[in-house]
Amino acid sequence: MKTKLKIIALIFFSIFHGCKKDKEFTTVEINVDNAENEIIFISGNDFLYEKKILSNSFRLKDTLSLNQNGYYVLSLGQSSIPLYIQKKDHIEIQIDAKGFPNAVEYTGETKKINTYLLEKQLSKNVDFKLSEKDFLQKMNSRKNSQLSKTADLSRDFREVENNELEYEYQNNLILYSKIHPHLTKDPNFAVSENYLAEVKDFKYQDTTNFQNSITYQSTVKSYYEWLAQEKLSNYNGQFKLAFLKCKLPLIRTA
C-alpha cells in the first residue's frame, strides 16, 4: 500500500513540476513618451494584453505568457506596429507617441527581426492602378527585395517570414484583379490567362497554414471572395451563398 502511495505521489510530483517547467515567460519593457490616456494592446495567436498609459512619460515592464511563438501586433491609439515574439525573449521598445508608428526603436534579442518587420510595414505601398505587366514587375521586385533582407536574420524566423512574403504576394495578385477596375473606372478590365493561372495555382487549402498565419487567412479569404464574385450568376446574384459554396472544399478539410 505504501509503495502504491509513493508511486502516486511521484506521478503527481512529476506532473506538477512538468507543468511549471513548461511555463515560459517573455519579458517586455516599453517606454512611451508624449502619450496620455491611451491603452497599449499586444495581440495575436489568441493572446491579448492591455495596459493603460498613466503618464506623459510612461515606463512599462511586464511578463507575457504566450500561447506560441510568432507574429503579434502592438497597438497604440489608431496605429499599430508588428512584433515577432518568441517565448523567453526579452524585448525593449522605445515609442514617441507623436510620431507613432514611425518613431519606434527596438532593442533586445529580436531587434533585427522587429526592425525589419517595421520597415516592411512602412514601405508597403501597393499601386493597384498600374498596368498588369508593371504591377507584376513591381510585386516581384518587392518580394525579391524583402527575401534578400531576411537572409541575415535567424533561420527559424527566415523560414516563417519567407512563407509570409509569398502569401502577401499572392494576396496582392488577387486584390489587383478586384481593385484595378474600380480605380481605373474600367469595368471591362480583365487580367490575362497567364495571370489567372498564377492566382489559381496557389495552394488555398492548407489547413495548418490557415491556423497559424493571419496573412494566409487573408489570402484565402480574398481568393474565395474573388471566386464567389466570378460565379455570382450561378447563384442568382447571392454573394454569401456563392462564397460559402466556393469555400466548401476548405471547410471539409478543416
Side-chain angles (χ1 to χ4, degrees):
M1 184 67 180
K2 287 183 179 180
T3 302
K4 287 182 179 179
L5 288 173
K6 284 181 180 179
I7 293 171
I8 292 170
L10 283 170
I11 291 171
F12 276 104
F13 181 82
S14 300
I15 292 171
F16 175 74
H17 282 272
C19 291
K20 283 185 70 178
K21 188 177 180 182
D22 289 339
K23 203 71 172 175
E24 298 172 324
F25 292 98
T26 298
T27 58
V28 293
E29 293 186 49
I30 304 173
N31 299 329
V32 184
D33 293 323
N34 301 311
E36 280 189 80
N37 300 318
E38 294 280 6
I39 299 177
I40 290 176
F41 293 95
I42 298 176
S43 59
N45 297 309
D46 296 322
F47 172 84
L48 178 63
Y49 171 91
E50 60 182 274
K51 183 70 75 171
K52 185 173 178 59
I53 295 176
L54 302 173
S55 61
N56 186 268
S57 292
F58 186 68
R59 304 293 180 262
L60 165 65
K61 187 173 183 179
D62 210 340
T63 57
L64 310 177
S65 179
L66 303 176
N67 298 316
Q68 65 183 73
N69 300 334
Y71 296 91
Y72 293 81
V73 174
L74 185 151
S75 303
L76 178 64
Q78 301 299 312
S79 300
S80 61
I81 57 174
L83 290 175
Y84 187 80
I85 313 177
Q86 301 177 101
K87 296 176 182 178
K88 299 193 292 184
D89 275 351
H90 174 71
I91 296 174
E92 299 175 40
I93 308 171
Q94 180 71 45
I95 296 172
D96 185 341
K98 286 186 176 179
F100 188 76
N102 295 280
V104 176
E105 184 177 345
Y106 299 101
T107 52
E109 296 167 5
T110 52
K111 174 184 176 179
K112 288 177 69 174
I113 288 174
N114 285 318
T115 299
Y116 156 83
L117 288 174
L118 180 59
E119 289 175 351
K120 184 179 78 166
Q121 174 178 293
L122 295 176
S123 65
K124 191 179 288 185
N125 182 23
V126 182
D127 186 357
F128 291 104
K129 283 186 177 181
L130 293 173
S131 68
E132 179 182 314
K133 180 181 177 181
D134 290 342
F135 180 78
L136 285 173
Q137 285 179 344
K138 188 163 186 177
M139 288 299 97
N140 275 293
S141 176
R142 173 181 167 77
K143 182 174 70 171
N144 291 332
S145 174
Q146 294 300 141
L147 285 170
S148 69
K149 291 176 183 178
T150 67
D152 63 342
L153 300 177
S154 69
R155 186 181 67 180
D156 289 345
F157 171 76
R158 185 169 64 248
E159 290 176 354
V160 174
E161 174 62 11
N162 288 354
N163 286 334
E164 290 292 300
L165 291 171
E166 184 60 41
Y167 306 152
E168 288 177 12
Y169 170 79
Q170 195 69 24
N171 195 31
N172 283 327
L173 290 190
I174 300 163
L175 292 175
Y176 175 81
S177 63
K178 298 193 297 182
I179 295 174
H180 181 82
H182 296 291
L183 292 180
T184 58
K185 302 186 186 306
D186 181 7
N188 298 317
F189 172 80
V191 293
S192 68
E193 287 298 321
N194 289 337
Y195 188 99
L196 281 176
E198 187 168 358
V199 168
K200 292 178 179 178
D201 283 347
F202 185 76
K203 186 178 180 182
Y204 295 100
Q205 296 180 24
D206 188 324
T207 52
T208 301
N209 283 329
F210 193 83
Q211 292 172 348
N212 296 332
S213 170
I214 294 174
T215 309
Y216 184 81
Q217 291 174 19
S218 298
T219 303
V220 170
K221 182 174 180 289
S222 295
Y223 174 71
Y224 285 108
E225 285 178 345
W226 169 78
L227 203 59
Q229 196 66 44
E230 292 291 303
K231 296 187 176 183
L232 270 181
S233 59
N234 296 343
Y235 301 99
N236 299 318
Q238 297 182 56
F239 178 80
K240 288 184 178 180
L241 180 59
F243 181 73
L244 287 172
K245 291 289 186 180
C246 290
K247 278 192 70 178
L248 280 177
L250 182 64
I251 292 171
R252 289 195 188 104
T253 58

